[in-house]
Amino acid sequence: MSSANSNVLLVEDNPGDARLIQEMLADSDGDSFRLWRADRLSAGLDMLSSGDIGVVLLDLSLPDSLGIETFCTMFAHAPQVPIIVLTGTDDEVMALHAVKTGAQDYLVKGEVNSNLLLRAMRYAMERKEAERALRESEERYALAAAGANDGLWDWHLQRGRAYFSPRWKSMLGFADDEIGDDPEAWLALIHTDDITTVRTQLANPQTLSGAPLNVEYRIRTRNGDYRWMLCRGMAVCDRDGLPLRMAGSQTDIHARKLAEERLLRDSLHDGLTGLPNRNLVTHRLHQSIEHMQRQPERRFAVLFLDLDRFKNVNDSLGHTTGDKLLIECGRRLGLCCRPHDTLARLGGDEFVLLLEDINNATDAIRVADRIQRHFATPFLIDGYELFMNCSIGIALSTPEYHHADELLRDADTAMYRAKADGKACYALFDADMHHRAVAALDMESSLRRSIDREGFELHYQPVIELQTGRISSFEALIRWPHETRGLISPAEFIPLAEETSLILPIGRWALREACRQLRQWQTADVRLAGLGISVNLSARQFSDEGLVGQVADVLEETGLPPACLKLEITESVLMVNAQLALSRLTQLRAMGIGISMDDFGTGYSSLSYLQRFPIDTLKIDQSFIAAMAHTVEGAEIVRAILNLGKALHLEVIAEGAESAAQVNMLQDMGCPLTQGYFFSRPLPHHEAETLLRSTFLTR
């Protein structure tokens, strides 16, 4: 027994009765009580305020208070302390009234003994403690419910009535008196799309047997809106397993559901244009394929669209303008769709259009033509008038397609064919495209393996001095010995290397190998100190920021004098970015390296470029040499280029000399240098060395 519970306050004015109570408490076996006594109600109230009292024994008839008022005054002063009323035999009715008012028990003087007194005191304190614990539990429950902000409900299944807490009603905007105790008043508010699920859950035998209820639904508020709620509860059954009642809570989850819907939308839609993204269009493609497999007569098509030269807009006007252009392109494309078609943005400047329920390829082509017409009108973005075309690849549904990725792949392949055909057009996918794409992929893989093991060769074609017949220099030309196809020419694999950026490691290897080989020849014979080597640079190599540093590293590594190296570029390379080209060529020329313009006459051929750029050599394209012997115009073009080179103090080399007639004409025109099959095809390094010794070193 705690020290507080051992304190007993006896309020009794009769000394004999007080002594009797004291003796009974003293005879208690195992219980130790400390008795406090007051003979007046006022004195008892003071003692009750000054110490921890476990129980009060109260006589109702006191000098300063009488009857039920005595109890009421004491109870009001300390309602948490259990009170046992002491009364005479004639006051038993009053004692019962006191118990109904809040007393824990009553004892009749003259009839009470020690055991009865102690038992009454013990029960009084236990009941009061139980009341206190229950009250705290209820307070904790109420506080938890209020803190959780949930509405409570309690459905008596046998009576068919339900209780809805004020919070349950207020979270829907209703006053406490606006919803009665009919469960249908609740169910009638649930959204028609959700009510079947809710009723099924409520009627589920497992739920009625006590399994937890957990269901989400939309419910109508007082103003007519719908909000998402989570309803949780549990049924209580009798000893026979019959459900008696079901109770639970209702939680507002509207914000969470809206956030989930936003996340779902974001996962399926493009953040910039709001159009479906790859995930959503892939899902719908899967559905279309499944429908076609069930109904083979159904046809659909996939249009893969890529904006032509969109990168120029981003690079010149900025990404903000580019984004606005993409949004407007998406809007125009949407005008070309039917409501049940799917227009998606895959990312960047790529869009996909899924055309459902078409008759044949003509329907898809008609849509492609419509798109091209819509794009014919310029776009007005940020005050700029922008002309934008798109290349379109079309893949038609066939029973052979089983996966969405296959259709997207083939439509993409057809789009690249359209772009190769000149942009602003469309192309229908066919099986040959797939075979070519697979072959290109296989070639790319082989290229990568060859790069890793440096599995390339350089062949060397001599440049001949026409007056002496001696070798002036070599042009290094790359060859690729394929494991199964033999020697592959640059015309076949260089475009693929450009497209995949593999040209960079290939180009670095070719430059290093050409310089190494020439330096080896020079070291072997000092008479070759003036021999030169020319190496072709692609557009991708020339635009590489590290080009100048790479050239410097190669020269330092191989020990080749810079004057012995000449880099060949085409006119088109210079025109991609004239300002960058001028800066880069100036840096290379400052190192002492020669610069040659390859295929002169086939590009822009602007005299201003020859004046602006630090160029040493012009190479006349072989097409002019071939035409020279057949037409007067062809001969005059060659003569004009030779005269131009002389006037600008540029070295001139005629490419593609294949006959004695061509060589004689070039000699007559005063052409200083030429190369071609008439003199030698490109040779492996050991054959080139043999030729070099038989011509250069013997004349």
Side-chain angles (χ1 to χ4, degrees):
M1 182 181 295
S2 68
S3 59
N5 289 341
S6 66
N7 294 328
V8 179
L9 173 61
L10 173 62
V11 185
E12 173 63 68
D13 63 327
N14 187 308
D17 291 340
R19 187 167 50 252
L20 184 61
I21 294 295
Q22 185 175 7
E23 289 175 356
M24 291 180 184
L25 293 178
D27 291 341
S28 62
D29 186 15
D31 292 327
S32 177
F33 294 103
R34 181 182 179 188
L35 184 65
W36 300 59
R37 183 191 166 211
D39 57 1
R40 298 286 190 277
L41 177 62
S42 57
L45 295 176
D46 290 342
M47 289 181 182
L48 195 61
S49 301
S50 62
D52 293 330
I53 301 300
V55 63
V56 176
L57 303 176
L58 177 64
D59 183 9
L60 295 181
S61 298
L62 298 170
D64 57 347
S65 180
L66 186 63
I68 195 66
E69 292 298 328
T70 303
F71 169 76
C72 290
T73 302
M74 179 65 74
F75 183 73
H77 192 77
Q80 75 280 3
V81 179
I83 300 174
I84 298 175
V85 173
L86 301 176
T87 183
T89 56
D90 55 346
D91 292 333
E92 193 167 352
V93 174
M94 184 173 57
L96 287 171
H97 182 49
V99 170
K100 292 180 181 179
T101 307
Q104 290 296 316
D105 204 349
Y106 75 94
L107 297 174
V108 179
K109 295 178 182 180
E111 297 180 1
V112 64
N113 57 37
S114 178
N115 290 334
L116 184 60
L117 174 63
L118 293 173
R119 185 175 61 191
M121 290 171 53
R122 193 177 297 113
Y123 285 174
M125 288 186 287
E126 288 176 356
R127 282 195 298 271
K128 203 66 177 180
E129 178 64 21
E131 290 176 4
R132 184 194 63 77
L134 178 61
R135 184 171 60 254
E136 289 182 356
S137 176
E138 291 173 342
E139 289 173 352
R140 284 196 297 268
Y141 178 77
L143 183 61
N149 208 24
D150 289 349
L152 305 180
W153 55 274
D154 189 346
W155 185 352
H156 197 293
L157 299 174
Q158 299 297 324
R159 295 201 305 263
R161 314 313 297 173
Y163 164 78
F164 302 102
S165 72
R167 175 58 189 153
W168 191 99
K169 299 173 184 178
S170 67
M171 65 198 305
L172 300 178
F174 292 102
D176 195 27
D177 59 351
E178 287 188 279
I179 295 181
D181 60 358
D182 185 357
E184 288 298 326
W186 163 28
L187 300 176
L189 296 173
I190 296 176
H191 196 284
T192 54
D193 291 345
D194 302 331
I195 185 60
T196 301
T197 300
V198 175
R199 288 187 181 275
T200 301
Q201 289 274 6
L202 290 172
N204 189 311
Q206 291 183 331
T207 303
L208 294 174
S209 298
L213 170 71
N214 196 312
V215 61
E216 297 179 356
Y217 52 75
R218 287 159 290 178
I219 190 167
R220 190 173 68 251
T221 64
R222 193 176 191 280
N223 62 13
D225 296 333
Y226 281 90
R227 294 189 69 81
W228 278 100
M229 298 289 173
L230 168 63
C231 179
R232 286 175 290 197
M234 183 174 290
V236 177
C237 302
D238 62 15
R239 64 180 61 187
D240 296 325
L242 296 176
L244 296 175
R245 58 190 288 203
M246 187 181 295
S249 64
Q250 178 173 264
T251 306
D252 189 323
I253 58 170
H254 195 67
R256 173 172 69 81
K257 294 295 288 189
L258 293 182
E260 289 175 356
E261 290 173 2
R262 284 194 298 270
L263 287 173
L264 179 61
R265 175 173 176 79
D266 291 345
S267 69
L268 297 175
H269 290 79
D270 173 51
L272 177 64
T273 63
L275 295 172
N277 62 11
R278 181 185 291 272
N279 293 332
L280 183 51
V281 74
T282 299
H283 173 70
R284 292 183 179 172
L285 264 172
H286 278 301
Q287 291 180 320
S288 297
I289 293 172
E290 290 174 356
H291 292 162
M292 181 187 64
Q293 290 172 345
R294 291 193 298 267
Q295 299 174 278
E297 70 277 5
R298 294 188 62 172
R299 304 289 302 277
F300 64 91
V302 175
L303 275 63
F304 199 108
L305 305 97
D306 183 87
L307 303 182
D308 298 330
R309 294 179 294 276
F310 174 77
K311 186 176 183 298
N312 293 345
V313 176
N314 270 347
D315 292 344
S316 58
L317 302 180
H319 288 274
T320 299
T321 300
D323 287 347
K324 293 179 181 179
L325 177 59
L326 287 172
I327 293 172
E328 182 59 21
C329 286
R331 189 192 68 82
R332 288 199 190 180
L333 289 171
L335 298 176
C336 305
C337 304
R338 299 165 300 176
H340 59 283
D341 295 331
T342 300
L343 173 65
R345 177 178 177 234
L346 299 189
D349 58 348
E350 294 180 337
F351 295 83
V352 163
L353 177 56
L354 169 59
L355 298 178
E356 299 276 11
D357 297 323
I358 64 171
N359 295 317
N360 48 45
T362 303
D363 291 342
I365 293 172
R366 189 178 297 115
V367 174
D369 287 334
R370 188 185 310 144
I371 292 172
Q372 300 293 7
R373 289 196 301 272
H374 275 76
F375 273 62
T377 304
F379 294 82
L380 298 178
I381 307 292
D382 291 341
Y384 297 100
E385 189 177 58
L386 304 177
F387 291 86
M388 183 60 55
N389 297 316
C390 64
S391 298
I392 305 173
I394 304 173
L396 301 174
S397 62
T398 66
E400 287 74 26
Y401 286 116
H402 297 283
H403 302 286
D405 289 344
E406 296 170 349
L407 275 156
L408 290 173
R409 175 202 66 199
D410 290 348
D412 187 21
T413 299
M415 182 276 295
Y416 274 104
R417 166 55 63 88
K419 199 174 282 288
D421 288 344
K423 301 183 175 62
C425 61
Y426 65 83
L428 275 169
F429 176 81
D430 58 42
D432 288 341
M433 289 185 188
H434 178 67
H435 296 323
R436 288 193 294 271
V438 171
L441 184 62
D442 179 68
M443 181 177 287
E444 180 183 345
S445 299
S446 296
L447 265 179
R448 292 183 185 277
R449 290 194 299 270
S450 294
I451 290 171
D452 291 339
R453 60 173 184 263
E454 294 186 349
F456 298 94
E457 295 179 359
L458 286 185
H459 286 198
Y460 302 88
Q461 186 173 37
V463 177
I464 306 298
E465 294 178 354
L466 280 178
Q467 286 188 347
T468 64
R470 297 182 64 183
I471 297 175
S472 170
S473 62
F474 281 99
E475 179 180 0
L477 299 166
I478 193 166
R479 297 292 186 265
W480 178 22
H482 193 271
E483 54 267 23
T484 58
R485 298 175 53 190
L487 210 59
I488 300 178
S489 72
E492 191 171 351
F493 70 86
I494 290 297
L496 177 62
E498 284 272 5
E499 181 182 337
T500 57
S501 294
L502 295 177
I503 192 66
L504 295 178
I506 293 174
R508 284 193 294 269
W509 176 87
L511 177 64
R512 181 179 294 105
E513 178 61 19
C515 293
R516 185 202 64 78
Q517 182 62 70
L518 178 58
R519 186 55 185 161
Q520 180 180 319
W521 287 336
Q522 291 177 339
T523 303
D525 197 313
V526 294
R527 290 173 294 176
L528 300 178
L531 187 66
I533 192 84
S534 61
V535 180
N536 292 278
L537 289 183
S538 70
R540 183 69 184 84
Q541 286 177 273
F542 190 74
S543 62
D544 184 17
E545 293 182 357
L547 173 65
V548 175
Q550 291 168 14
V551 174
D553 291 344
V554 167
L555 291 176
E556 180 178 1
E557 176 187 334
T558 60
L560 183 71
C564 295
L565 174 62
K566 186 173 292 184
L567 299 177
E568 295 192 11
I569 56 176
T570 62
E571 295 175 74
S572 58
V573 169
L574 300 179
M575 294 309 302
V576 172
N577 188 330
Q579 192 62 38
L580 174 65
L582 178 60
S583 172
R584 195 144 294 168
L585 290 180
T586 301
Q587 290 177 283
L588 292 170
R589 285 294 289 119
M591 295 167 58
I593 296 169
I595 305 296
S596 175
M597 182 178 286
D598 198 11
D599 301 335
F600 184 76
T602 60
Y604 300 92
S605 303
S606 171
L607 296 180
S608 64
Y609 301 148
L610 297 180
Q611 290 180 310
R612 289 178 59 191
F613 296 114
I615 295 170
D616 305 290
T617 303
L618 298 180
K619 298 190 76 172
I620 306 175
D621 186 71
Q622 59 185 349
S623 61
F624 298 124
I625 305 302
M628 182 177 61
H630 305 293
T631 65
V632 175
E633 292 80 2
E636 290 305 318
I637 290 175
V638 174
R639 195 185 309 277
I641 296 175
L642 289 169
N643 291 334
L644 177 63
K646 182 181 295 186
L648 296 177
H649 305 290
L650 300 175
E651 184 179 66
V652 179
I653 301 174
E655 294 184 286
E658 297 184 354
S659 67
Q662 292 172 346
V663 172
N664 291 334
M665 291 185 69
L666 289 172
Q667 285 178 322
D668 292 341
M669 293 179 185
C671 179
L673 300 166
T674 187
Q675 65 183 101
Y677 275 38
F678 178 78
F679 297 99
S680 174
R681 59 180 176 82
L683 302 171
H685 69 90
H686 58 279
E687 294 183 25
E689 182 176 349
T690 300
L691 178 66
L692 183 64
R693 294 186 179 280
S694 65
T695 56
F696 192 97
L697 300 179
T698 58
R699 298 190 183 189

